[in-house]
Amino acid sequence: MTLTRFVTKSAFRNKRRSVLTVISITFSLVLLTLMTTIWHSWYIDKGSTQSAQRLITRHRVSLTQTLPIFYREKMRAVPGVAAVAPTQWYGGIYKDNKPENFFAQFATDPDEIFKVMTDFTIPGDQLAAWQKDQAGAVVDSELAKKFGWKVGDRVVLQGTIFPGNLELTIRGIFKAPEPTITLYFNRKYLEEAVSFFKGASGTFNILAASPDDVPKVAAGVDALFRNSPQPTKTESEKAFQLSFINSIGNVKAFILSICMAVVFATLLVSANTMAMSIRERTREVAVLKTLGFTRQTILGLYIGESVTVAMIGGVLGCLLAVGMVTGLRHAPGLGFFFLGIHVTFSTYVLALLVSAMVGLLSAIVPAYHAAKIGIVEGLRYVG
């Protein structure tokens, strides 16, 4: 029997205990992988090259306050600005209040929005049709797929923030690098339906000429309106999205705490299992030494067993995490926070590294004590 065969056979000698240990490590690694994926998506992933060039301007005091629409022309004059499109969150209800029917709805300028969202693609004839139809709308391809929409279908949105309902006709379906679950419609349609909205916009989406221009554009736009009655706050698209997440609380500390607790709990479970397993096999250690196994070999065998069990749990945890991340991405009402989220290669590596380290650390102390025990003392041991 080879040493590798010996390790794999010994790892599952007590099948019930080994399986329970694998299950506990699996669920711990699922949580760790999930939290690490969310951390990476929210705080490390910078998005596409095009999104890195985009900024969002809003009222400095609150998102609930609007800005004058004439700000757009002044923003165009700021050095480094390539395009500007006004956007207004509509927040209407489609069908009912069920989370699965929630999606983003923005009133915008059909002539400008795709000049800012340069990584979105839409057929030219569909874009032209939308620009000609004031009651028209364009929708994300994934959103159209979800509701079975096609060009020419009608969508009725019940107003919540704004009074009245909007009856829109889908004139185009666009594709984005990542699903956006978004519907855009002509802001003029909203202006005619709601008189107090005329000449206002909740936010402005800005495209900078290059990623290097982003800080300069943000500072330039805010400086332009600093002393006006409606001062602005301009930030990158990623920073704007994070401001919603940070409004929940200290999410970073929450995720970090969960990750540390998971690793510590997994380590305790695995260490307890390995200590019991090695203590029960004290006489076996003595027998192995009589057969010529060295202290280093015995140490390696027991550590190998522990790492094998932990790695199996780690692999299963990663696989289950992929399924959970997919579920989060499509969860009704939550999908807006987890758009485009996926488990990265670095997260896989981290999860497997953590599982291997748990296996190593949990076994090294009991394996060391077992390896240095004398032959006579081991044979006399009664567990």
Side-chain angles (χ1 to χ4, degrees):
M1 177 180 288
T2 63
L3 292 179
T4 304
R5 181 69 174 163
F6 182 88
V7 168
T8 52
K9 291 286 287 185
S10 299
F12 287 90
R13 179 176 299 182
N14 187 325
K15 288 185 175 57
R16 179 183 298 175
R17 184 162 58 200
S18 298
V19 168
L20 289 175
T21 304
V22 168
I23 291 174
S24 65
I25 294 175
T26 296
F27 280 96
S28 298
L29 264 295
V30 166
L31 195 54
L32 179 67
T33 306
L34 188 61
M35 290 294 107
T36 307
T37 300
I38 293 173
W39 178 286
H40 186 279
S41 175
W42 286 355
Y43 300 108
I44 297 178
D45 187 9
K46 302 298 182 186
S48 65
T49 305
Q50 292 88 345
S51 67
Q53 290 180 233
R54 288 197 288 264
L55 304 96
I56 296 179
T57 298
R58 62 181 175 87
H59 198 291
R60 175 167 288 279
V61 176
S62 170
L63 259 177
T64 60
Q65 299 192 39
T66 59
L67 297 169
I69 192 67
F70 67 79
Y71 274 17
R72 173 168 55 171
E73 299 309 318
K74 293 190 174 184
M75 290 176 187
R76 291 188 203 277
V78 175
V81 172
V84 184
T87 48
Q88 173 63 51
W89 175 266
Y90 181 67
I93 297 174
Y94 177 64
K95 292 183 178 178
D96 51 41
N97 274 320
K98 291 181 179 177
E100 55 265 32
N101 292 326
F102 169 81
F103 56 87
Q105 307 134 21
F106 289 101
T108 187
D109 185 342
D111 295 327
E112 295 281 352
I113 189 65
F114 285 97
K115 294 178 182 176
V116 175
M117 315 303 281
T118 51
D119 47 351
F120 290 12
T121 58
I122 182 172
D125 58 331
Q126 294 184 8
L127 177 59
W130 179 38
Q131 291 168 340
K132 291 176 183 174
D133 184 3
Q134 196 162 291
V138 292
V139 297
D140 182 282
S141 57
E142 291 298 319
L143 191 62
K145 182 179 176 183
K146 175 182 176 181
F147 290 111
W149 291 338
K150 55 186 182 300
V151 175
D153 284 355
R154 294 183 69 80
V155 176
V156 178
L157 300 177
Q158 179 186 342
T160 54
I161 301 173
F162 298 94
N165 300 336
L166 296 182
E167 294 186 13
L168 304 168
T169 304
I170 297 175
R171 296 300 179 193
I173 297 174
F174 66 87
K175 290 184 179 179
E178 300 289 349
T180 63
I181 60 169
T182 298
L183 176 148
Y184 291 109
F185 62 93
N186 196 325
R187 58 170 283 106
K188 289 181 181 176
Y189 188 43
L190 186 60
E191 282 183 330
E192 289 189 359
V194 183
S195 57
F196 64 78
F197 177 67
K198 197 165 186 177
S201 180
T203 54
F204 289 92
N205 288 35
I206 301 173
L207 178 70
S210 71
D212 294 336
D213 288 325
V214 169
K216 186 174 60 178
V217 168
V221 170
D222 290 343
L224 190 61
F225 305 110
R226 181 165 297 133
N227 297 318
S228 66
Q230 290 97 5
T232 60
K233 181 179 181 180
T234 304
E235 52 198 342
S236 68
E237 189 177 77
K238 186 71 177 181
F240 181 79
Q241 293 166 351
L242 281 177
S243 65
F244 283 97
I245 296 168
N246 293 334
S247 64
I248 303 171
N250 194 343
V251 179
K252 278 187 176 180
F254 176 71
I255 293 177
L256 189 62
S257 302
I258 290 180
C259 290
M260 292 177 66
V262 165
V263 173
F264 185 65
T266 309
L267 185 61
L268 289 182
V269 170
S270 182
N272 182 55
T273 302
M274 288 310 300
M276 290 173 59
S277 175
I278 293 174
R279 188 169 58 249
E280 290 172 357
R281 291 154 63 188
T282 302
R283 299 185 71 182
E284 179 184 301
V285 173
V287 172
L288 290 174
K289 284 191 172 182
T290 61
L291 295 174
F293 282 74
T294 64
R295 180 182 296 182
Q296 291 78 14
T297 306
I298 293 173
L299 183 65
L301 289 174
Y302 286 128
I303 289 177
E305 284 181 32
S306 178
V307 172
T308 299
V309 171
M311 287 291 286
I312 291 173
V315 171
L316 293 176
C318 288
L319 294 176
L320 281 177
V322 172
M324 289 192 69
V325 168
T326 305
L328 267 181
R329 204 163 51 225
H330 297 92
L334 293 177
F336 199 66
F337 291 97
F338 301 107
L339 292 173
I341 191 172
H342 62 277
V343 185
T344 63
F345 177 74
S346 59
T347 302
Y348 285 125
V349 173
L350 176 66
L352 295 178
L353 190 62
V354 167
S355 62
M357 287 300 295
V358 165
L360 173 66
L361 295 176
S362 62
I364 193 165
V365 173
Y368 173 76
H369 286 296
K372 74 176 185 178
I373 197 169
I375 295 176
V376 175
E377 184 184 357
L379 292 175
R380 285 177 175 172
Y381 179 81
V382 178

